[in-house]
């Protein structure tokens, strides 16, 4: 090996990366570009030789510098590709979105088969019937959804929650475990719930509608003891009073004063549910779940797959008729009066009915998910006109609050 070849070999050795220092692409390019010219022409050799390739002098130096950058960069990219393939086994998404090059810890979702949606957007559910979209995935108790002002309220997982209807976000919570199936009731700026319901003792609690801080507690003695199969035991009248199924009586409570103002005694049996019509007429009480409207009284009959919603004009049970099969497989849906209509949900169909005639104004079948029931219930219409319901899909599984866009007929327009 002559002097020029030895110098070139030493130069190539110097640009070769050696631990512990990593040689960058810029190092290689700089060294090749700044290396001094060889002092003399080399002796001719057979075949290819680096000195022969360099015989062009300075004219080749920029080309080699650029070439070295390309080769080293390409090699670096190849190494990076190999390294990445050793740590990421996930294929590219089917929609063509490039896979992430950085790994991140994952957390378990509520359901591995449940679809996802970007935060702040609703997830299309039940084939989009009535524009159904899930706005959150919090599991709440059946029939516990209600609304007031610009908020939704529901009970579940040991707490009463205030929900933002625009995003589905949980804004506030307070500890609460319903002792009986009954929706919260909003009167003015207070959310009322049944806190205790057993024996001869009933306790109502009131919470600030914005902060959910407790603001009131009212004991309501149950004359003769509470009914064993009570549901829907709390209602509010247009006069702002609360009405409670309290044993052999229906007790009227002044929420501002915090005490019982009067009682209506029943002629037979114990009150297991109570309802007050929007026109302020005498409250209705009876077995099962009741909703009173200007035209009459609504209720449910039967159990499980055979449960039906009925309407009795003027409260006359002898002239009552079935409106809709609203429930099934143990999924309860009490008729609800909200937004000027009566709503009947469940697992068969979703109905909005006239509060005066009891006739359905619009209805839609509730589809199944791969043969498994989907459920809508506890429909609530806010003052904004937007409708919401509790939703459950047992096949996904998926549950939460759903937004709805019912037909115009449901608003009477």
């Amino acid at each position: 090996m002559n002097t020029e070849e030895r110098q070139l070999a030493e130069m190539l050795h110097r640009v070769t990366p050696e631990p512990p220092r990593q040689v960058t692409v810029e190092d290689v390019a700089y060294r090749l570009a700044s290396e001094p010219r060889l002092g003399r022409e080399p002796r001719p050799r057979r075949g290819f030789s680096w000195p022969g390739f360099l015989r062009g002098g300075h004219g080749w130096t920029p080309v080699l510098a650029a070439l070295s950058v390309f080769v080293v960069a390409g090699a670096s990219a190849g190494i990076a590709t190999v390294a990445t393939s050793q740590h990421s086994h996930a294929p590219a998404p089917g929609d063509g979105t490039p896979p992430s090059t950085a790994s991140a810890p994952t957390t378990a979702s509520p359901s591995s088969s449940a679809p996802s949606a970007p935060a702040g957007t609703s997830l299309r559910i039940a084939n989009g019937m009535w524009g159904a979209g899930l706005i959150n995935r919090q599991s709440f108790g059946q029939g516990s959804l209600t609304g007031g002002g610009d908020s939704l309220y529901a009970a579940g997982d040991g707490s009463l929650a205030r929900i933002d209807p625009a995003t589905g976000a949980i804004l506030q919570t307070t500890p609460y475990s319903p002792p009986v199936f009954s929706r919260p009731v909003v009167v003015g700026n207070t959310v009322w719930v049944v806190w205790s319901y057993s024996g001869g003792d009933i306790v109502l609690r009131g919470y600030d509608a914005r902060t959910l801080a407790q603001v009131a507690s009212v004991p309501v003695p149950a004359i003769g003891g509470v009914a064993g199969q009570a549901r829907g035991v709390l209602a509010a009248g247009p006069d702002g009073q609360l009405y409670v199924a309290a044993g052999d009586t229906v007790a009227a409570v002044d929420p501002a004063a915090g005490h019982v103002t009067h009682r209506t005694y029943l002629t037979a049996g114990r009150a297991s549910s109570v309802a007050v019509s929007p026109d302020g007429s005498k409250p209705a009480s009876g077995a099962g779940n009741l909703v009173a409207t200007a035209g009459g009284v609504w209720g449910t009959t039967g159990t499980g797959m055979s449960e039906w919603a009925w309407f009795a004009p003027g409260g006359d049970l002898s002239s009552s008729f079935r409106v809709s099969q609203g429930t099934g497989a143990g999924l309860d849906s009490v008729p609800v009066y909200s937004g000027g209509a009566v709503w009947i949900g469940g697992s068969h169909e979703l109905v909005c009915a006239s509060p005066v005639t009891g006739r359905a104004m619009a209805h839609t079948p509730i589809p199944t998910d791969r043969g498994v029931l989907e459920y809508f219930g506890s429909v609530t219409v806010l003052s904004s006109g937007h409708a919401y319901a509790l939703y459950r899909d047992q096949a996904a599984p998926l549950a939460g609050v759903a937004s709805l866009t019912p037909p115009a007929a449901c608003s009477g327009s």
Side-chain angles (χ1 to χ4, degrees):
M1 177 182 295
N2 57 29
T3 302
E4 291 82 2
E5 290 173 327
R6 185 169 57 256
Q7 289 176 339
L8 180 59
E10 291 174 354
M11 179 190 70
L12 292 176
H13 178 72
R14 286 196 301 270
V15 301
T16 302
E18 294 181 1
R21 179 183 183 276
Q22 294 183 349
V23 177
T24 65
V25 173
E26 290 79 3
D27 290 337
V28 177
Y30 174 80
R31 291 182 181 181
L32 286 175
S34 59
E35 191 70 24
R37 293 183 61 190
L38 303 180
R40 59 186 177 86
E41 297 291 326
R43 293 190 301 270
R45 295 175 61 89
R46 294 181 180 178
F48 175 79
S49 67
W50 278 103
F53 184 69
L54 290 171
R55 189 169 289 120
H58 275 298
W60 279 101
T61 300
V63 177
L64 278 176
L67 180 62
S68 66
V69 172
F70 175 80
V71 172
V72 175
S76 300
I79 295 171
T81 301
V82 173
T84 302
S85 68
Q86 296 298 318
H87 296 282
S88 176
H89 303 283
D95 60 2
T97 305
S100 172
T101 57
S103 61
T106 59
T107 57
S109 62
S111 166
S112 58
S113 61
S116 60
T121 61
S122 63
L123 173 66
R124 185 175 182 266
I125 52 176
N127 298 331
M129 46 150 277
W130 281 6
L134 200 65
I135 63 174
N136 75 15
R137 300 188 183 187
Q138 183 81 17
S139 180
F140 296 105
Q142 296 178 38
S144 70
L145 183 68
T146 191
D150 59 355
S151 299
L152 298 170
Y153 305 90
D157 294 330
S159 67
L160 174 67
R162 175 176 167 242
I163 307 162
D164 182 349
T167 65
I170 306 299
L171 302 178
Q172 279 86 25
T173 62
T174 191
Y176 174 59
S177 295
V180 65
F181 183 96
S182 195
R183 299 172 77 204
V185 172
V186 182
V187 178
N189 296 320
T190 306
V191 182
W192 290 91
V193 300
V194 180
W195 180 262
S196 175
Y197 200 86
S198 64
D201 298 320
I202 302 172
V203 176
L204 306 181
R205 281 193 177 179
Y207 297 91
D208 182 271
R210 303 299 296 181
T211 65
L212 292 189
Q214 183 182 335
V215 295
S217 180
V218 181
V220 182
I223 307 301
V226 300
Q229 300 296 323
R231 300 196 308 174
V233 299
L234 178 64
D239 55 0
Q241 290 206 97
L242 299 172
Y243 293 86
V244 187
D248 297 335
T249 72
V250 173
V253 177
D254 183 343
H259 60 74
V260 176
T261 59
H262 65 274
R263 293 177 182 268
T264 301
Y265 284 81
L266 306 181
T267 57
R270 294 173 179 171
S272 61
S273 60
V274 66
V276 183
S277 63
D279 62 3
S281 61
K282 185 177 179 179
S285 176
N289 297 283
L290 297 178
V291 172
T293 65
V297 176
W298 299 74
T300 56
T301 185
T303 57
M305 296 297 292
S306 62
E307 188 160 334
W308 287 77
W310 50 262
F311 174 71
D316 182 4
L317 294 178
S318 64
S319 60
S320 64
F321 59 88
R322 291 180 174 182
V323 178
S324 171
Q325 185 174 4
T327 64
L331 299 176
D332 297 308
S333 179
V334 180
V336 173
Y337 178 78
S338 185
V342 175
W343 305 86
I344 305 165
S347 55
H348 290 79
E349 63 178 348
L350 189 57
V351 177
C352 69
S354 167
V356 177
T357 67
R359 304 296 180 181
M361 298 185 293
H363 60 88
T364 180
I366 298 174
T368 60
D369 183 359
R370 291 163 286 174
V372 180
L373 298 175
E374 294 183 79
Y375 162 83
F376 286 89
S378 198
V379 176
T380 295
V381 181
L382 296 181
S383 57
S384 62
H386 295 108
Y388 303 86
L390 290 182
Y391 170 77
R392 183 184 304 171
D393 178 352
Q394 298 185 113
L398 199 60
V401 177
S403 61
L404 298 171
T405 307
C410 292
S411 62
S413 60

